[in-house]
Amino acid sequence: MSKHIFVTGGVVSSLGKGLTSASIGMLLEQRGLSVRLQKLDPYINVDPGTMSPYQHGEVYVLDDGSETDLDLGHYERFTNSPLNKHSNYTTGKIYQSVIEKERHGEYLGQTVQVIPHITNEIKEAVEKCAGEGVDVVITEIGGTVGDIESQPFLEAIRQMALDKGKENVLYIHLTLVPFLKAAAELKTKPTQHSVGQLRQIGIQPDILICRTERSLSRDDRTKIALFCNVPVEAVIEEKDKDFSVYEVPLSLVDHGLDELIVRKLNLDRAGPLELDHWRELVRRLRNPQYELSIAVVGKYAEHRDAYKSIYEALDHAAMHHHAQIRIQRIHSEAVEQEGVERMLSGVDGILVPGGFGERGIEGKVEAIRFARERNIPFFGICLGLQCAVVEFARNVVGLQGAHSTEFEKNTPHPVICLLNEQKTITDKGGTMRLGAQPTVVTPESRAAEAYGNLDISERHRHRYEFNNQYRQQFAANGMIPAGTSPDGGLVEIVELPEHPWFVGVQYHPEFKSQPTRPHPLFAGFVGAALARRLARSERSLEENPLI
């Protein structure tokens, strides 16, 4: 029987339940245990696919095409846990399933209610994640204790201890211990209230993880333990990390969390903890040999979580090159308003990520032109590829008015157009080209050099593609299709072979990058940007030997 860990949060949102859950999963894996991770979200959307990045951050896509919460990105970056459609459930998905069963007659004669029908469906969702031979299932409950939306999920996980036996279920509650400057002290009362609400529901947390700006004293931990009815050793400090999220697991180990979990769940199969590789990773982060600057020119630049996986993938590549990246988050509208020269002068690389809608498109196009003409390493992802195609069509091929039909239906040169299978689709949710798709890479291309393989699989999330009617014109002018679908019908990678590093991809490589295994294209891009940086530094020294 799989053991279950449920991670809840209190006081405020954005405490880092996802990072904490991922860190716990990583620590248990490093003790030889098999782990599955899952997120239960209380919002009514069936999935986050139709939600604004400003409200929800990025939409993380899995191999099976599931559009999921961004916390699943943390799960994949920290662990080897396979994720699928059962790894993320929402209130909308749960209720949709129950209503479909009711319509099919599965509840004939019954009044369908939150208890037991909705809670049973939630418990079934947890069971589907477990599978066979899994030692521990870690389930993160979205939202905050006290939210009305979370109540069915909390009731369901309360029942799990009755169904499975308390010895097989562990409740971890993540809470906030704020520091009040006026009083010059930490305040434990918010944590007490949060745990009190959880206990009213019928859940007594086994472990408290306390987010805090300042270290907890022994007296603070004793007070929290007394008022929250947990042992002192089960009050775990999780101090804010100024440097990197990859320090979180090491901090939890220092406070004995992994040993506590193994003991409380009687995980006899757990072996000794092996974290040397992770400590080396953090050491590289803290002691870079080089520094470089990369501009991410996007539509949602002011919202860090909108491009969460891209920023993490850049960090992974930087670690690979023993470097530190100063990421400049540039709003594409600012490029239009302030001018490309002012916004992008001095950067070592330019990355243009995905997005939807017309706003800021011309700023992206101008940023790409700047990268192409100045020989600055460029990486375009999804919409970034499409904008690169539009820029090249206008300024090199000479197709005046070239555009994507997503933004200009009557463009005289639709170099980007709707996929054929998308033309009859009217629903928005879950209807794009989604999930893992194969790509055949062109030999001797930049992509082939980076991957070291000609047959790859990457995750997609888009409706529009390169228009094949223009393929010969582009190739004749120097932009080659460096990767296509196996039948050759869809262009998945474009490159400029004469440029130091100019690559655009229709898929989302950031979803497959890990700190211990940086994505090959991100590593290639950062490597090219670093080479430019070092070359510029050498020229500067030659011109100014006294510097």
Side-chain angles (χ1 to χ4, degrees):
M1 180 184 294
S2 298
K3 306 281 188 174
H4 289 269
I5 297 174
F6 295 102
V7 180
T8 58
V11 186
V12 294
S13 59
S14 301
L15 281 180
K17 294 191 301 297
L19 274 171
T20 301
S21 299
S23 297
I24 292 169
M26 189 272 277
L27 294 177
L28 295 180
E29 276 192 349
Q30 296 307 310
R31 298 193 66 147
L33 300 170
S34 59
V35 173
R36 295 291 183 275
L37 288 107
Q38 178 186 52
K39 176 78 179 289
L40 302 181
D41 275 308
Y43 50 76
I44 297 176
N45 305 64
V46 173
D47 60 45
T50 58
M51 296 169 70
S52 166
Y54 289 111
Q55 286 197 13
H56 189 266
E58 74 176 1
V59 176
Y60 192 82
V61 179
L62 304 180
D63 278 347
D64 66 3
S66 299
E67 295 175 288
T68 71
D69 185 85
L70 62 83
D71 279 329
L72 275 75
H74 296 313
Y75 302 167
E76 285 203 321
R77 287 188 283 272
F78 278 68
T79 76
N80 297 308
S81 171
L83 304 182
N84 56 36
K85 64 182 180 180
H86 299 305
S87 303
N88 193 196
Y89 280 85
T90 67
T91 293
K93 196 171 180 179
I94 294 293
Y95 272 79
Q96 184 182 57
S97 178
V98 170
I99 289 169
E100 287 174 355
K101 288 179 180 179
E102 188 275 332
R103 293 290 85 186
H104 294 153
E106 294 188 30
Y107 304 127
L108 281 179
Q110 299 181 42
T111 300
V112 181
Q113 298 176 293
V114 172
I115 302 174
H117 301 96
I118 296 298
T119 51
N120 283 348
E121 192 73 22
I122 294 169
K123 290 190 289 184
E124 285 182 25
V126 175
E127 293 289 357
K128 287 174 183 175
C129 182
E132 294 184 6
V134 177
D135 294 315
V136 182
V137 179
I138 302 169
T139 302
E140 174 193 351
I141 310 299
T144 306
V145 170
D147 294 346
I148 191 170
E149 299 94 341
S150 301
Q151 290 180 3
F153 292 99
L154 296 172
E155 170 59 22
I157 68 170
R158 181 194 69 81
Q159 294 176 18
M160 289 289 290
L162 301 176
D163 298 343
K164 300 290 184 180
K166 186 61 184 76
E167 68 278 7
N168 297 311
V169 174
L170 190 73
Y171 298 111
I172 296 178
H173 190 54
L174 183 65
T175 185
L176 178 69
V177 180
F179 178 80
L180 296 188
K181 291 183 180 178
E185 62 181 359
L186 292 166
K187 291 295 184 181
T188 65
K189 191 63 71 177
T191 293
Q192 295 175 42
H193 281 304
S194 178
V195 173
Q197 285 185 304
L198 202 56
R199 291 170 68 185
Q200 287 176 8
I201 297 167
I203 297 174
Q204 168 62 55
D206 300 289
I207 297 173
L208 293 179
I209 298 180
C210 300
R211 283 295 305 274
T212 177
E213 296 178 37
R214 308 289 182 95
S215 295
L216 298 177
S217 67
R218 178 70 182 184
D219 288 343
D220 292 326
R221 294 176 63 225
T222 301
K223 185 176 181 181
I224 291 170
L226 177 63
F227 283 95
C228 296
N229 196 34
V230 297
V232 174
E233 63 269 19
V235 179
I236 305 294
E237 174 191 305
E238 189 177 315
K239 191 178 176 183
D240 293 353
K241 299 293 176 290
D242 297 328
F243 193 74
S244 170
V245 297
Y246 300 112
E247 293 180 294
V248 173
L250 302 180
S251 172
L252 295 177
V253 167
D254 291 342
H255 290 89
L257 180 61
D258 60 311
E259 284 289 348
L260 192 59
I261 291 172
V262 167
R263 188 168 70 250
K264 283 183 173 289
L265 284 178
N266 296 314
L267 294 167
D268 297 332
R269 288 189 60 250
L273 186 64
E274 176 51 63
L275 280 182
D276 287 348
H277 70 296
W278 203 265
R279 295 187 192 279
E280 170 60 19
L281 180 150
V282 172
R283 189 196 65 78
R284 283 192 181 193
L285 268 171
R286 284 191 166 277
N287 301 282
Q289 297 177 21
Y290 313 104
E291 186 179 87
L292 67 154
S293 171
I294 288 179
V296 176
V297 184
K299 300 175 64 172
Y300 319 113
E302 66 269 42
H303 195 304
R304 182 179 175 86
D305 283 348
Y307 302 123
K308 183 68 176 175
S309 292
I310 284 176
Y311 298 144
E312 294 300 319
L314 286 172
D315 281 343
H316 304 162
M319 285 185 266
H320 175 73
H321 289 287
H322 299 271
Q324 182 181 36
I325 295 178
R326 289 182 289 105
I327 296 176
Q328 297 188 28
R329 299 174 179 84
I330 308 294
H331 202 296
S332 53
E333 285 184 299
V335 175
E336 298 172 6
Q337 296 162 5
E338 303 291 333
V340 67
E341 184 81 35
R342 178 177 177 182
M343 299 301 296
L344 296 176
S345 289
V347 301
D348 303 305
I350 296 173
L351 187 152
V352 176
F356 297 91
E358 187 175 3
R359 180 176 59 83
I361 290 300
E362 294 305 322
K364 290 190 174 191
V365 170
E366 277 304 301
I368 294 166
R369 179 175 182 171
F370 187 78
R372 179 179 59 79
E373 293 179 345
R374 301 293 182 91
N375 285 327
I376 300 171
F378 165 76
F379 193 12
I381 295 174
C382 196
L383 181 59
L385 171 143
Q386 296 173 10
C387 289
V389 168
V390 169
E391 189 279 325
F392 196 80
R394 293 176 182 176
N395 301 314
V396 179
V397 184
L399 303 176
Q400 292 187 2
H403 218 316
S404 165
T405 57
E406 180 181 2
F407 312 121
E408 180 54 67
K409 287 183 171 53
N410 298 318
T411 174
H413 296 290
V415 291
I416 300 294
C417 60
L418 195 65
L419 284 159
N420 287 331
E421 62 265 30
Q422 291 286 319
K423 291 179 179 178
T424 59
I425 292 174
T426 56
D427 287 348
K428 297 294 184 186
T431 56
M432 286 184 274
R433 186 178 186 226
L434 291 165
Q437 307 285 343
T439 293
V440 177
V441 181
T442 303
E444 299 180 3
S445 63
R446 295 274 185 195
E449 180 184 358
Y451 280 109
N453 192 355
L454 300 183
D455 295 303
I456 62 169
S457 175
E458 295 283 5
R459 298 174 187 177
H460 292 244
R461 185 176 184 254
H462 61 103
R463 298 185 192 277
Y464 291 80
E465 273 278 0
F466 184 97
N467 189 339
N468 281 319
Q469 293 180 12
Y470 295 89
R471 192 185 289 193
Q472 289 185 348
Q473 284 178 270
F474 273 70
N477 283 276
M479 180 174 277
I480 65 166
T484 66
S485 56
D487 63 3
L490 298 176
V491 174
E492 306 287 32
I493 308 173
V494 297
E495 291 185 11
L496 296 180
E498 302 304 317
H499 192 279
W501 213 94
F502 191 105
V503 178
V505 297
Q506 187 56 73
Y507 45 82
H508 288 269
E510 68 270 24
F511 294 152
K512 287 200 168 184
S513 186
Q514 292 182 302
T516 54
R517 291 194 296 272
H519 191 280
L521 291 183
F522 276 90
F525 169 59
V526 171
L530 179 59
R532 173 183 169 81
R533 176 73 172 189
L534 295 176
R536 290 170 66 197
S537 297
E538 288 178 9
R539 286 197 300 271
S540 179
L541 284 173
E542 290 173 0
E543 296 168 1
N544 302 282
L546 297 179
I547 292 179

